[in-house]
């Protein structure tokens, strides 16, 4: 029975809670996870059912191909993950909260047994996330609520394919599956930057290989356009995050810093409109601006991107994905500061490009 309550999530957050103050949070987390599993049915059943729409059948068949490719060509776990499908009838599986102080980019951390300390807190109901966000804002924290299309239970359960992402274009669908399976290969409790950057590096390498073997011209073109927009948007966010960091570090009064903070966020909005025009009006990132911009929007970017260049450099050195995973496991055994420094050194000269299926995903 004990194992049943060890619910892990990455890209979301579900963990055993301690103390009376956490009972409500744990209850919604446990209920949400088990409700999710109860909704899932084997993909083969959906494919065999005459009631399943042809469009969904096509996508589910494609997931089976992607899943087989992940195990055969990428060395990702060959288990029951992504062999079932659940129709959740909501836009996201979870809603994550990220919070920072008013004049800092350092995110809050929530620490739990097994999962360790993470920089986000997840809820299966948006209303619950909004209620907790209101408490944090009342305490003068900057807060972002972001919808999560998928997460990994690290192999503890059979992670299902979800209606929240099944209709993604094929390249993005493959990227997401590769990312979440990567969390089952290497996961370091309490080190979200390491875990997410590793998964982004794996998804990039995986999609490149998958498109080479299975992508047609239309799929490749769509994915190149998607990656280009993502790269542009990420560069904009990194630019303004750097400006915010410089603002908070300067010798100035809090009121002056608040004024500059507001100017930086206005510049971000203005430059985004220019980007949209260059994309021909593509509005996929509009939902990122749905709530008032805050430090929390930009603090989490580091979690998913800062160490990606280092992992890319490791993969280039190892050339083979199996050897790469072995090297990453060895790196994960080091102390946090030591492995972070090693990755920073490896990626020091590498450019930052796109990744991530949570924080800056656009649909």
């Amino acid at each position: 029975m004990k194992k049943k309550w060890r619910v892990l999530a990455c890209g979301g957050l579900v963990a055993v809670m301690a103390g009376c103050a956490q009972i409500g949070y744990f209850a919604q987390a446990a209920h949400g996870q088990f409700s999710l599993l109860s909704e899932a049915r084997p993909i083969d059943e959906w494919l065999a059912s005459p009631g399943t729409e042809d469009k969904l059948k096509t996508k589910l068949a494609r997931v089976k191909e992607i899943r087989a490719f992940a195990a055969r060509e990428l060395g990702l776990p060959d288990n029951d993950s992504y062999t079932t499908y659940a129709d959740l009838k909501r836009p996201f599986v979870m809603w994550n909260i990220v919070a920072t102080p008013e004049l800092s980019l350092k995110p809050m951390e929530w620490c739990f047994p097994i999962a360790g300390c993470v920089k986000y807190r997840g809820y299966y109901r948006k209303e619950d996330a909004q209620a907790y966000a209101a408490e944090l804002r009342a305490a003068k924290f900057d807060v972002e609520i972001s919808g999560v299309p998928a997460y990994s239970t690290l192999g503890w359960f059979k992670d299902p394919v979800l209606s929240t992402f099944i209709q993604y274009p094929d390249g993005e669908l493959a990227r997401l599956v590769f990312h979440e399976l990567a969390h089952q290969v290497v996961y370091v409790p309490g080190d979200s930057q390491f875990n997410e950057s590793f998964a982004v590096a794996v998804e990039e390498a995986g999609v490149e290989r998958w498109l080479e073997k299975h992508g047609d011209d239309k799929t490749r073109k769509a994915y190149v356009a998607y990656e280009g927009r993502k790269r542009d948007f990420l560069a904009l966010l990194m630019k303004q995050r750097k400006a915010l960091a410089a603002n908070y570090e300067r010798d100035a009064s809090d009121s002056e810093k608040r004024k500059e903070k507001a100017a930086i966020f206005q510049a971000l909005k203005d430059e985004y409109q220019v980007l949209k025009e260059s994309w021909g009006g593509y509005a996929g990132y509009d939902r990122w601006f749905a709530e008032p911009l805050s430090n929390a929007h930009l603090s989490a970017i580091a979690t998913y991107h800062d160490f990606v260049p280092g992992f890319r450099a490791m993969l280039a050195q190892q050339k083979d994905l199996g050897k790469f995973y072995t090297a990453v496991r060895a790196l994960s055994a080091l102390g946090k500061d030591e492995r972070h420094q090693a990755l920073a050194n490896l990626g020091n000269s590498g450019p930052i490009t796109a990744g991530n299926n949570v924080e800056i995903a656009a649909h």
Side-chain angles (χ1 to χ4, degrees):
M1 291 292 293
K2 185 176 181 181
K3 181 177 179 180
K4 290 184 179 180
W5 297 98
R6 290 181 177 176
V7 184
L8 301 175
C10 191
L13 174 62
V14 186
V16 174
M17 297 302 182
C20 293
Q22 299 290 5
I23 290 176
Y25 178 78
F26 172 59
Q28 69 85 30
H31 180 267
Q33 175 64 37
F34 290 116
S35 294
L36 177 69
L37 295 175
S38 69
E39 293 291 327
R41 290 163 41 204
I43 287 177
D44 287 340
E45 286 188 15
W46 289 91
L47 292 173
S49 172
T52 304
E53 295 181 355
D54 289 344
K55 184 179 179 181
L56 177 58
K57 284 186 177 182
T58 298
K59 282 295 186 179
L60 291 175
R62 184 53 53 91
V63 169
K64 289 190 68 175
E65 295 172 3
I66 291 169
R67 187 66 187 83
F69 180 88
R72 184 181 65 251
E73 303 291 337
L74 305 181
L76 292 172
D78 187 6
N79 54 27
D80 290 332
S81 294
Y82 307 112
T83 61
T84 60
Y85 173 73
D87 183 358
L88 300 185
K89 296 179 174 58
R90 60 180 188 262
F92 300 104
V93 60
M94 298 185 77
W95 284 264
N96 273 355
I97 288 176
V98 177
T100 71
E102 180 190 12
L103 298 175
S104 170
L105 287 168
K106 184 176 182 180
M108 290 179 63
E109 288 190 341
W110 290 271
C111 299
F112 308 105
I114 303 175
C117 297
V118 293
K119 298 175 182 177
Y120 35 74
R121 179 174 169 114
Y123 289 85
Y124 283 91
R125 284 173 19 97
K126 187 176 183 180
E127 295 79 5
D128 293 339
Q130 290 172 325
Y132 186 59
E135 294 180 21
L136 292 170
R137 288 178 176 131
K140 306 302 182 184
F141 285 98
D142 276 18
V143 180
E144 180 200 16
I145 302 174
S146 60
V148 179
Y151 65 84
S152 170
T153 61
L154 310 181
W156 285 82
F157 296 98
K158 294 193 294 186
D159 294 328
V161 177
L162 302 174
S163 54
T164 52
F165 63 82
I166 187 61
Q167 296 301 336
Y168 282 9
D170 288 351
E172 297 174 50
L173 186 58
R175 176 194 61 78
L176 188 147
V177 171
F178 299 156
H179 181 105
E180 299 305 337
L181 286 173
H183 286 310
Q184 297 185 26
V185 176
V186 179
Y187 179 83
V188 181
D191 197 345
S192 297
Q193 281 179 279
F194 182 91
N195 297 328
E196 296 301 338
S197 293
F198 166 68
V200 168
V202 172
E203 79 179 44
E204 289 181 347
V207 171
E208 180 180 355
R209 290 161 170 76
W210 184 78
L211 287 174
E212 284 178 1
K213 289 197 173 185
H214 299 285
D216 55 24
D217 289 342
K218 182 179 178 181
T219 302
R220 293 189 188 98
K221 184 177 180 180
Y223 195 75
V224 167
Y226 162 81
E227 284 288 290
R229 291 190 298 264
K230 205 166 193 181
R231 182 171 55 250
D232 292 345
F233 188 59
L234 179 58
L236 172 61
L237 300 187
M238 296 296 291
K239 173 186 174 182
Q240 302 302 352
R241 189 183 78 168
K242 184 177 180 180
L244 281 173
N247 176 45
Y248 299 147
E249 291 170 3
R250 69 191 177 108
D251 185 14
S253 67
D254 285 355
S255 62
E256 290 176 307
K257 291 180 180 180
R258 291 188 187 99
K259 183 177 180 181
E260 180 63 15
K261 174 185 178 182
I264 291 169
F265 281 127
Q266 186 59 53
L268 193 161
K269 293 178 183 178
D270 294 342
E271 292 184 42
Y272 173 62
Q273 294 304 315
V274 175
L275 266 185
K276 283 179 65 175
E277 290 183 17
S278 73
W279 296 334
Y282 175 81
Y285 290 104
D286 281 4
R287 71 177 181 84
W288 198 83
F289 296 85
E291 293 186 328
L293 293 181
S294 70
N295 295 328
H297 283 74
L298 296 174
S299 68
I301 297 169
T303 301
Y304 290 84
H305 298 283
D306 277 3
F307 294 144
V308 173
F311 281 116
R312 288 196 197 113
M314 285 184 68
L315 180 54
Q317 289 175 354
Q318 301 297 329
K319 296 182 175 61
D320 174 80
L321 278 169
K323 293 179 180 177
F324 170 61
Y325 298 152
T326 298
V328 172
R329 290 188 186 98
L331 186 62
S332 72
L334 302 177
K336 186 173 184 178
D337 291 342
E338 191 175 358
R339 62 176 171 265
H340 283 199
Q341 188 60 56
L343 286 167
N345 291 342
L346 281 165
N348 192 40
S349 60
I352 296 178
T353 61
N356 183 2
N357 62 301
V358 178
E359 299 301 335
I360 63 167
H363 290 283

